[in-house]
Amino acid sequence: METVLVLGATSDIGIAIARKFAAAGYNIQLAARKPEQLDAVKSDIEIRSGVSCSTHAFDAVKYDSHAAFFNGIKPDITIAVFGTMYEEEDAFNDWSLAETMINTNYTGAVSILNIAARHYTTQQRGTIIGISSVAGDRGRASKLVYGSSKAAFSAYLAGLRNKCFKDNVHVMTVKPGFVYTRMTENLKLPAPLTSTPDEVATIVYNGFKAGKNTIYVKWFWRYIMLIIKNIPEFQFKKMKL
Ligand SMILES: NC(=O)c1ccc[n+]([C@@H]2O[C@H](COP(=O)([O-])OP(=O)(O)OC[C@H]3O[C@@H](n4cnc5c(N)ncnc54)[C@H](OP(=O)(O)O)[C@@H]3O)[C@@H](O)[C@H]2O)c1
């Protein structure tokens, strides 16, 4: 059976995705900054699903470590889940916070996924899945730096899909709206528009199986963002979104 690497496996969405693929029989590699925090998840996956599961140290912003890390485990499917979101007003005033968001959400993702893509194109098979965000679909004051880092990540994934298609490598972009996780625990989220990590995992798995290019979680976010993208700029710049 194929092996799935989850980058950012301590995240609520990452754990749910790992469990979903394990339940379908895939072997799992869990990678995170603090892999020792994954021991319980690893045991749970092995016991419940009877697949092999390993844990690995991975830091998205330690770019120099990425090649040795990836080439040491060579998964069949790579899923980039890691991400950072700070308060935008704090990040506007403190460059170190803005820099961390940009370096984690975009630069780190490009660094590790370029390595994965080179491996997959050489062997003429493989899948890359990136968890971006609807926040990247249009620049907004309330998601100034986070949104622009995700916009860059979405554009990168689209370009990578285009680059790797001829080599039988599939790249899927995932754009969640609101999800109940550690990242959003301090926010008041509108229940009808918000997903659970398990719902995200099921939609990601089904999208992967169907060979989708870009999926929104949930589906209606595609239309919400279509409306937001079509608001004329002269009007949009006066709005609080
Ligand atoms: N929650 C939402 O509403 C929502 C909506 C749209 C998109 N997303 C995206 O979904 C993804 C998962 O987020 P989540 O909601 O599940 O939040 P989360 O539980 O806070 O997960 C964030 C993950 O990113 C990891 N991470 C941060 N910096 C890292 C680095 N330098 N190297 C490696 N890992 C790093 C964290 O690891 P540590 O445990 O070491 O901190 C954690 O595992 C993110 O890309 C996020 O942008 C979330």
Side-chain angles (χ1 to χ4, degrees), residues 52 66 125 134 167:
S52 94
H66 290 178
R125 63 188 284 270
V134 297
D167 291 312

Side-chain angles (χ1 to χ4, degrees), residues 7-14 31-34 37 58-62 80-85 100 103-105 131-135 146 150 153 174-184 187 189 194 197:
L7 298 163
T10 48
S11 77
D12 295 326
I13 293 174
R33 286 190 286 198
K34 299 175 206 108
Q37 288 184 355
F58 168 77
D59 191 323
V61 297
K62 292 193 175 151
V81 186
F82 58 83
T84 300
M85 184 176 79
T100 299
N103 285 350
T104 308
N105 301 348
I131 310 295
S132 188
S133 172
V134 297
Y146 175 79
K150 289 295 194 181
F153 185 38
V174 182
K175 295 182 179 181
F178 301 128
V179 189
Y180 294 116
T181 66
R182 182 164 39 118
M183 187 177 274
T184 54
L187 306 177
L189 301 176
T194 307

Side-chain angles (χ1 to χ4, degrees), residues 154-229:
S154 293
Y156 167 77
L157 290 168
L160 195 65
R161 178 161 47 247
N162 189 212
K163 181 176 175 61
C164 296
F165 174 75
K166 65 176 187 332
D167 291 312
N168 193 35
V169 176
H170 186 58
V171 178
M172 183 169 87
T173 310
V174 182
K175 295 182 179 181
F178 301 128
V179 189
Y180 294 116
T181 66
R182 182 164 39 118
M183 187 177 274
T184 54
E185 64 191 355
N186 297 322
L187 306 177
K188 259 196 104 189
L189 301 176
L193 300 182
T194 307
S195 308
T196 64
D198 285 343
E199 286 173 325
V200 178
T202 298
I203 293 168
V204 167
Y205 180 74
N206 292 342
F208 159 72
K209 282 306 223 187
K212 298 278 189 197
N213 295 316
T214 299
I215 53 172
Y216 284 78
V217 185
K218 297 172 183 172
W219 62 269
F220 48 72
W221 277 100
R222 183 183 295 274
Y223 301 99
I224 294 173
M225 296 318 295
L226 191 66
I227 293 166
I228 289 177
K229 281 190 286 188

